[in-house]
Amino acid sequence: MKQTLLLLEDDLQLSDTVKQFLELKGYAVLCAYDGHEAQEIVYEHRIDLMLLDVKVPHLDGFSFLKQLREEGSEIPAIFITSLNSVEDVEKGFATGCDDYIRKPFALKELLVRIESLLKRSYGTHEGKIVLREGLVFDPKELLLTDHGKRVALKTKEVKLLRLFLQHPDELLGYERIYEALWSYGEEPSGGSLRTYIKTLRSVIGKERIETVKNIGYRFVTQ
């Protein structure tokens, strides 16, 4: 599944240029041309990273990000702006941004910064796996938390999630899953497995677990 970026930029030509470049690199890009439109996009879509201009209509980029951070959002954010004083940079980081790029910038540099930030934000750290913003799995403790709160899962559901994460993008056949989930002497159940899959999809996203008819399942990385 493509990672989705929010681009808040009121310069239509620059917005279109950045959008086309990033789409060619495999990202989905949702464009906003003012702060209020950006708010609507964030509330209606799952966003993996935000690219924010500061001087935009209705709600400036600094205020937009400040409000999101006060609401508890941890979506990675990069300011892309012509404001280049030290004070502006300090203000940007104070509002909660993760990076700050001064205009004009090279598209290749922007891509490098995006990839680096996404890797830091959604990769594996301290043995834990970040599935999306706020959703973290600890394979050692077999614990899934959503913004710090434990997600109630059955033992076999947690084991299934761990199995998927150990084999990302790999097709896992039914027999392999049965062997991992059911102990010796237990009778594997296709119906129970489907129930476990349904539960995991409701938590991590339906699109993250692909059904391969008559064969098994595949955990799809972003």
Side-chain angles (χ1 to χ4, degrees), residues 78-90:
I78 300 175
F79 278 121
I80 49 173
T81 177
S82 58
L83 299 178
N84 56 16
S85 71
V86 174
E87 291 75 17
D88 291 322
V89 175
E90 289 178 341

Side-chain angles (χ1 to χ4, degrees), residues 21-172:
F21 172 77
L22 292 175
E23 286 178 340
L24 286 173
K25 298 301 180 180
Y27 295 98
V29 182
L30 300 177
C31 294
Y33 304 100
D34 64 66
H36 290 165
E37 188 177 4
Q39 287 181 320
E40 292 179 2
I41 290 175
V42 167
Y43 296 147
E44 294 176 2
H45 300 270
R46 187 184 66 79
I47 303 298
D48 295 293
L49 183 143
M50 301 181 294
L51 301 172
L52 309 175
D53 188 11
V54 175
K55 296 191 292 183
V56 295
H58 304 316
L59 183 69
D60 68 83
F62 286 154
S63 300
F64 166 75
L65 182 59
K66 186 173 184 291
Q67 287 185 17
L68 282 184
R69 293 295 187 248
E70 289 174 348
E71 293 169 2
S73 174
E74 299 175 355
I75 302 173
I78 300 175
F79 278 121
I80 49 173
T81 177
S82 58
L83 299 178
N84 56 16
S85 71
V86 174
E87 291 75 17
D88 291 322
V89 175
E90 289 178 341
K91 185 174 182 179
F93 280 99
T95 60
C97 80
D98 300 275
D99 205 345
Y100 193 108
I101 302 178
R102 298 175 175 88
K103 295 178 180 177
F105 53 83
L107 292 174
K108 188 173 182 180
E109 178 187 357
L110 177 64
L111 179 63
V112 169
R113 291 176 184 252
I114 289 171
E115 292 176 341
S116 176
L117 184 51
L118 285 172
K119 186 176 181 180
R120 295 202 313 265
S121 299
Y122 296 110
T124 302
H125 58 92
E126 297 180 355
K128 298 180 182 180
I129 301 169
V130 180
L131 296 170
R132 58 170 167 77
E133 183 195 351
L135 190 66
V136 180
F137 181 67
D138 186 333
K140 292 183 179 180
E141 299 294 330
L142 289 179
L143 176 66
L144 181 67
T145 57
D146 191 351
H147 291 90
K149 295 182 180 179
R150 180 171 185 156
V151 177
L153 293 175
K154 296 178 180 178
T155 300
K156 284 184 171 59
E157 291 168 345
V158 176
K159 288 183 177 180
L160 179 58
L161 177 58
R162 180 176 62 178
L163 180 66
F164 280 138
L165 294 175
Q166 288 172 336
H167 303 278
D169 296 310
E170 182 179 336
L171 175 57
L172 299 177

Side-chain angles (χ1 to χ4, degrees), residues 2-20:
K2 291 183 178 180
Q3 291 177 302
T4 302
L5 312 182
L6 165 65
L7 173 59
L8 172 58
E9 171 60 66
D10 65 338
D11 182 324
L12 300 184
Q13 184 174 354
L14 177 58
S15 177
D16 189 55
T17 298
V18 172
K19 181 177 188 292
Q20 289 186 32

